[in-house]
Amino acid sequence: MKTIIEPFRIKSVEPIRFTTREERIKILEEAGYNTFLVRADDVLIDLLTDSGTSAMSSDQWAGIMRGDESYAGAKSFYVFEAAVKKITGDEFIIPTHQGRAAEKIIFSILGGPGKYFASNTFFDTTRANIEFTGAEAVDLLNETGKHPEQSAPFKGNMDVEALEAFIKKTGKENIPLIVLTVTNNSGGGQPVSMQNIKDVKAVCKKYDLPLFLDACRFAENAYFIKLREKGYENKSVIEICQEMFSYADGSTMSAKKDALVNIGGWLSLNDSELALKCRNLLIVTEGFPTYGGLAGRDLEAIAQGLEEIVDEHYLQYRIRSTEYLGEKMMNAGVPIIEPPGGHAIYIDAKRFLPDLSSDKYPGQSIVCELYIEGGVRAVEIGSVMFGKYDKTGKLIPAMMELVRLAIPRRVYTQSHIDYVAEVVIEAYNNRDKMKGYEITYEAPMLRHFTARFKPI
Ligand code: F0G
């Protein structure tokens, strides 16, 4: 087979500012060894997130010019609504400014003390929006999903037996909603199979519970189904997407991922009474129901992005380029979550730096090394992000110590990715010299954003 190429030409470019190793050492020290506190201009290749970092197409920019900025009933809303309906099949489409705004609305209405929600793995904003209402968020990931070194085609699947046991124990009257996150971001960008979506739906149906998709990366998930699940190899991605959504009663979406835009989201559902309540809350917090915190131009860009995201040449390139980075790293012995995910490669910091215990934050050590070595910005997803303290002040570590290299959509070329692989491999070869870190400042909540560190 010939090389899978970027399925686009480039007509507008953004220069990268080069820095020297000495400059980066100083920049990192000034930022308290926290790459969230480094200016983007001081980063060569920015793999902090795939969210809101996509390059828009010329047709999306044309949509920006077409945007109808009428307050109510704008033409752009109807274009957006039709594009979302085509994929989700849902009746009520509510635009929001990003994913967490949709989460805030649905969970404020359905949550509250004594309520429980379950998912394969809740993303942190979703969990935070549930817990903020006093409700509990429970992750029911299948066993292989919890082991970075075990390779399986659908490591994002929910444990269906655990779901049924959870419903019996908790009481279905205390569970407003079940959520499947596709792909499973917090668990390595791993997909959920169609069979698992169907099985979860069957349990939900048995107990009369609604199922929602956290649909951020729905097209990447659908492409994995096409590649890996029997019976789907000859179906089009759009058909697979439509089937995935057909088992769900609604969705929350961050259009900053698989709608190829820099801002936007939605809440979609079929329950008219619930939709009315959501729209009423939307008016208070986001805006009128035909714009929901977005400009008309943003709605146009999302609608066009949804056409482009299901293009199979795009998805082939997208999934292959992530896998390509993963393969280069695996071939050099760098331990990662296997197989490579859809939007990111996750380095397994426990195996990368086995001599550093969680309280020395091995993931943070790798993040700092990648920045110093090559100006590559990654993010720690381990005990810096999820660590808690017990009553004696001892760290309760996260389940996994990971470093995420998230790949923005349509932004970097193959040689950028080759460069990233070289930087990671260089860091791996120097791992004996890498030090642990201690925290010198931390905020009481979401400490990873603002914490400051010092090498031990
Ligand atoms: N759900 C998932 C699975 C996500 O990955 C995100 C965002 C959200 C919900 C929230 O969407 O940012 O538009 O409010 N993930 C980003 C990331 C921030 O870097 O993984 P949002």
Side-chain angles (χ1 to χ4, degrees):
M1 200 168 82
K2 295 201 176 68
T3 304
I4 296 166
I5 59 172
E6 286 84 1
F8 47 78
R9 294 185 297 186
I10 299 167
K11 80 168 151 201
S12 175
V13 299
E14 197 181 347
I16 289 175
R17 196 177 81 79
F18 285 81
T19 47
T20 63
R21 190 187 172 89
E22 288 64 42
E23 283 170 330
R24 291 194 292 270
I25 288 173
K26 196 157 162 277
I27 290 165
L28 196 60
E29 191 188 340
E30 281 168 7
Y33 299 92
N34 184 346
T35 50
F36 275 108
L37 305 178
V38 169
R39 288 177 184 227
D41 202 32
D42 292 334
V43 175
L44 248 90
I45 307 278
D46 202 347
L47 306 184
L48 188 66
T49 179
D50 65 320
S51 180
T53 50
S54 295
M56 292 212 296
S57 67
S58 49
D59 283 339
Q60 284 180 295
W61 283 106
I64 293 279
M65 289 306 295
R66 259 196 323 270
D68 174 358
E69 305 303 341
S70 305
Y71 190 94
K75 211 159 52 182
S76 302
F77 169 72
Y78 296 101
V79 173
F80 162 82
E81 188 189 41
V84 178
K85 272 192 181 181
K86 183 176 166 194
I87 288 166
T88 63
D90 291 337
E91 201 174 337
F92 304 103
I93 311 295
I94 300 174
T96 59
H97 80 272
Q98 59 183 78
R100 68 197 71 181
E103 293 161 7
K104 170 82 183 160
I105 289 170
I106 191 83
F107 293 119
S108 311
I109 291 169
L110 297 178
K115 300 283 190 222
Y116 294 80
F117 296 85
S119 177
N120 44 350
T121 313
F122 283 108
F123 181 66
D124 46 2
T125 59
T126 323
R127 170 175 288 279
N129 272 304
I130 290 170
E131 290 174 350
F132 190 73
T133 72
E136 275 187 47
V138 181
D139 292 337
L140 302 172
L141 187 64
N142 75 92
E143 194 53 37
T144 35
K146 298 175 192 161
H147 299 277
E149 73 291 354
Q150 287 178 16
S151 190
F154 292 105
K155 287 176 79 175
N157 282 355
M158 190 182 229
D159 181 337
V160 183
E161 273 173 35
L163 172 65
E164 188 148 12
F166 162 78
I167 298 170
K168 282 188 185 147
K169 186 170 133 235
T170 315
K172 68 174 187 138
E173 61 287 357
N174 300 316
I175 308 172
L177 197 69
I178 304 296
V179 178
L180 275 176
T181 309
V182 295
T183 57
N184 184 20
N185 183 8
S186 313
Q190 300 291 323
V192 177
S193 70
M194 193 72 88
Q195 190 58 50
N196 190 246
I197 301 177
K198 282 195 221 173
D199 293 344
V200 169
K201 174 66 180 180
V203 174
C204 288
K205 209 164 170 189
K206 183 167 163 193
Y207 294 94
D208 198 21
L209 299 178
L211 170 65
F212 268 48
L213 296 184
D214 176 342
C216 296
R217 301 175 180 88
F218 70 92
E220 292 171 6
N221 198 90
Y223 195 69
F224 278 121
I225 289 176
K226 185 177 169 99
L227 290 180
R228 297 181 185 170
E229 195 163 350
K230 210 166 167 287
Y232 289 92
E233 50 279 70
N234 296 320
K235 292 218 162 138
S236 69
V237 167
I238 181 83
E239 282 173 322
I240 298 172
C241 293
Q242 286 163 338
E243 185 179 339
M244 282 165 55
F245 280 96
S246 75
Y247 302 118
D249 302 284
S251 67
T252 55
M253 172 74 182
S254 170
K256 299 171 75 171
K257 285 84 170 175
D258 271 359
L260 293 165
V261 291
N262 307 118
I263 196 74
W266 73 67
L267 170 63
S268 74
L269 64 176
N270 289 310
D271 177 334
S272 57
E273 224 173 283
L274 184 57
L276 191 68
K277 284 189 195 158
C278 291
R279 281 192 171 136
N280 287 339
L281 188 54
L282 181 88
I283 293 175
V284 180
T285 59
E286 289 278 295
F288 190 74
T290 61
Y291 73 85
L294 293 170
R297 64 178 82 101
D298 299 324
L299 297 169
E300 291 278 350
I302 294 172
Q304 179 58 32
L306 290 175
E307 287 285 323
E308 294 172 12
I309 199 78
V310 292
D311 178 289
E312 299 191 14
H313 290 296
Y314 162 75
L315 283 166
Q316 183 190 38
Y317 139 80
R318 169 72 176 161
I319 298 302
R320 177 60 198 145
S321 53
T322 308
E323 185 184 52
Y324 173 82
L325 174 59
E327 275 172 7
K328 287 207 154 199
M329 286 161 57
M330 286 190 287
N331 290 343
V334 180
I336 65 166
I337 293 193
E338 288 183 43
H343 67 296
I345 297 297
Y346 293 69
I347 297 173
D348 183 357
K350 271 191 195 168
R351 283 185 292 148
F352 193 115
L353 292 172
D355 297 336
L356 285 188
S357 51
S358 288
D359 59 354
K360 297 195 174 72
Y361 303 110
Q364 195 62 27
S365 177
I366 297 171
V367 167
C368 290
E369 188 66 18
L370 297 182
Y371 180 72
I372 291 172
E373 186 58 45
V376 173
R377 176 153 69 171
V379 66
E380 195 261 12
I381 304 196
S383 292
V384 174
M385 197 178 265
F386 296 124
K388 293 192 173 129
Y389 294 111
D390 69 10
K391 287 196 187 95
T392 67
K394 201 166 151 261
L395 179 79
I396 308 169
M399 190 169 68
M400 294 191 261
E401 301 294 342
L402 304 173
V403 172
R404 184 181 77 170
L405 301 159
I407 307 185
R409 293 171 181 77
R410 304 193 295 206
V411 171
Y412 294 115
T413 63
Q414 188 167 338
S415 55
H416 288 121
I417 297 298
D418 285 334
Y419 173 84
V420 171
E422 285 165 15
V423 171
V424 174
I425 293 164
E426 187 72 33
Y428 187 61
N429 293 339
N430 289 334
R431 64 192 181 281
D432 291 346
K433 298 191 201 90
M434 285 166 60
K435 297 193 182 89
Y437 281 77
E438 65 180 85
I439 295 179
T440 58
Y441 163 77
E442 63 185 293
M445 268 175 75
L446 296 171
R447 64 178 183 174
H448 54 285
F449 290 123
T450 53
R452 300 184 77 86
F453 301 84
K454 159 172 122 195
I456 299 169

